[in-house]
Amino acid sequence: MRITADQRRRRLVVHQLALGVGRPGRPEATTPEDVTERLVALHATDAPSVHLAVLARVPGLTLDDVRDALFVRRSLVKVLGMRRTMFVVRRETVPVVHAAAALTVAGRLRARLLKELATLPTDPPVRDPEALLAAAEAQVHEALVTHGPLDGAQLSRAAPLLRTAFLPTTAKAWDVRRTMTSPLLAVLSAEGSVVRGEPRGAWSSPRHVWSPMTDWFPGGIPETDEEAARVELARQWLEAFGPATVADLKWWTGWSLGQARRAVAALDVRQVELEVGPPGAAPVVADGMMLRSTDLDAALDPAVDDVVEGHVALLPTLDPTTMGWTARDWYLGPHREQLFDSAGNAGATIWWQGRIVGAWTVRPDGEVVWRLLEDVGADAEASVAAEAARIGGLLGGVGFTPGYATPLYRELRA
């Protein structure tokens, strides 16, 4: 069976973008938790992206709705997981991500930090990296238990060993004095002993507080078998992102190819041919897969034409859909150089009927500005303008600065 790029884009709209529209067998999403469940995980490295990813998909939800899910109900949790990336997942999914991805990341981060403490010049000098790390961890946990949620600066004052600094070893501009605060908090976050909490100040602020994970899970994150967790995470991902390739799954999870193949082997999947080339080009086909339970016909049914045709979305930096596959030409087309930075991070994108056609951003004064990279017609332009106005209204005229600057982003902000 071959699944065309156009069919994949139709399914993408129905399953990942137009979540506020219900259909038989798949009710509309009405909460931030619903959106997160449909997408498995929301990228959270860039603070505003979580809120904007939700607002883009369900008209009627607000910034406060997302905040309440994260920090009042705590039904959504920030975890350092796949690919050493910060994500937001449903509370029920935390044990799966923790066992399937985070613990492996934690081991690598801890080993790297110990190696740096042993080999790089520090101030003060470190004679026993293991002992220093254990003492610094104890200070962090004591500070959080004693004082409550603290941001990085507050923690470094309450836990003085965090101020242990790595000294420059070259004359390069990026090689500067840096403390142990950020790398150790990354280790503890991946290990599941601390959790990133609410930002200080505005909803979009990158300055956040840390709390003990026991504030979210009083008994700690429930233990889950690692192999079983990988199978479950692969199942959830295929349900949301399939049909896809094993290479896509490997990239998204950060697993080895062997780990991805073993997880897939435990699932009831169907092998298919996937068109992975750009819109309008000669078909490029790759070996793909999807769960046998995938309701592909529902996404292709003419009954959803009114959902797909004319659908527009303004997705944020590092949106889970934009970053969902490693082979992206079938929805990205020729726009990679303008919409991604040199490290492969996606900027904020405009989607039209399941493919990327432009970029947008919010200026410091709150104005939403955008640019199309191809001619999609007057009706599409009007729809983009209306969606930009809707998003701008939800932000209340308040601007913010995304954490990743793409070439087109710099032009729009000028």
Side-chain angles (χ1 to χ4, degrees), residues 113-134:
L113 181 53
L114 285 169
K115 181 179 179 180
E116 289 181 338
L117 287 169
T119 59
L120 295 179
T122 62
D123 178 24
V126 175
R127 293 182 176 84
D128 188 338
E130 293 271 7
L132 173 73
L133 210 53

Side-chain angles (χ1 to χ4, degrees), residues 28 40 185 194 265 387 407 412:
E28 65 183 277
V40 185
L185 288 174
V194 302
E387 182 65 2
L412 290 172

Side-chain angles (χ1 to χ4, degrees), residues 361-369 397-400 411-414:
T361 192
V362 182
R363 288 179 172 159
D365 63 0
E367 179 188 7
V368 177
V369 293
V398 177
F400 59 87
E411 293 180 26
L412 290 172
R413 293 279 287 195

Side-chain angles (χ1 to χ4, degrees), residues 140-369:
V140 167
H141 288 296
E142 182 179 357
L144 292 178
V145 170
T146 302
H147 302 290
L150 300 173
D151 62 31
Q154 293 169 325
L155 260 177
S156 67
R157 291 192 292 271
L161 287 177
L162 289 179
R163 299 199 291 272
T164 302
F166 297 102
L167 304 178
T169 57
T170 72
K172 295 180 179 178
W174 51 263
D175 191 4
V176 298
R177 180 187 177 100
R178 56 189 176 89
T179 71
M180 196 171 65
T181 302
S182 291
L184 180 54
L185 288 174
V187 171
L188 299 180
S189 177
E191 289 178 344
S193 60
V194 302
V195 61
R196 184 180 292 194
E198 191 163 12
R200 295 287 196 198
W203 65 276
S204 57
S205 171
R207 184 187 172 199
H208 48 266
V209 299
W210 294 93
S211 298
M213 184 61 81
T214 50
D215 285 358
W216 266 251
F217 292 88
I221 297 174
E223 291 187 9
T224 303
D225 176 76
E226 182 178 341
E227 289 296 327
R230 287 201 185 106
V231 172
E232 174 58 19
L233 188 59
R235 185 197 66 77
Q236 291 186 23
W237 183 83
L238 269 176
E239 186 173 308
F241 291 87
T245 68
V246 172
D248 291 328
L249 175 62
K250 171 185 178 295
W251 178 84
W252 187 85
T253 56
W255 297 337
S256 69
L257 185 58
Q259 289 170 335
R261 285 173 172 166
R262 285 195 298 274
V264 169
L267 296 171
D268 186 15
V269 299
R270 177 180 182 181
Q271 301 302 316
V272 295
E273 291 184 338
L274 288 182
E275 290 186 7
V276 296
V284 177
V285 179
D287 292 331
M289 58 184 175
M290 64 183 184
L291 297 174
R292 288 190 184 276
S293 59
T294 297
D295 187 9
L296 187 63
D297 291 342
L300 308 182
D301 192 316
V304 302
D305 283 353
D306 60 339
V307 176
V308 177
E309 294 177 10
H311 181 270
V312 63
L314 271 61
L315 301 187
T317 300
L318 296 176
D319 186 85
T321 296
T322 312
M323 301 291 291
W325 299 263
T326 188
R328 300 169 179 148
D329 286 349
W330 57 279
Y331 60 86
L332 177 58
H335 308 312
R336 184 183 301 269
E337 290 187 3
Q338 292 169 287
L339 300 177
F340 283 71
D341 68 14
S342 58
N345 299 303
T349 51
I350 299 172
W351 291 67
W352 175 249
Q353 299 182 160
R355 61 190 181 91
I356 295 175
V357 296
W360 67 284
T361 192
V362 182
R363 288 179 172 159
D365 63 0
E367 179 188 7
V368 177
V369 293

Side-chain angles (χ1 to χ4, degrees), residues 7 48 64 86-87 148 157 165 188 192 249 251 260 296 298 328 347 381 393 395 406:
Q7 290 173 329
D64 284 342
M86 186 65 67
F87 286 96
R157 291 192 292 271
L188 299 180
L249 175 62
W251 178 84
L296 187 63
R328 300 169 179 148
E381 287 198 35
L395 301 183
T406 64

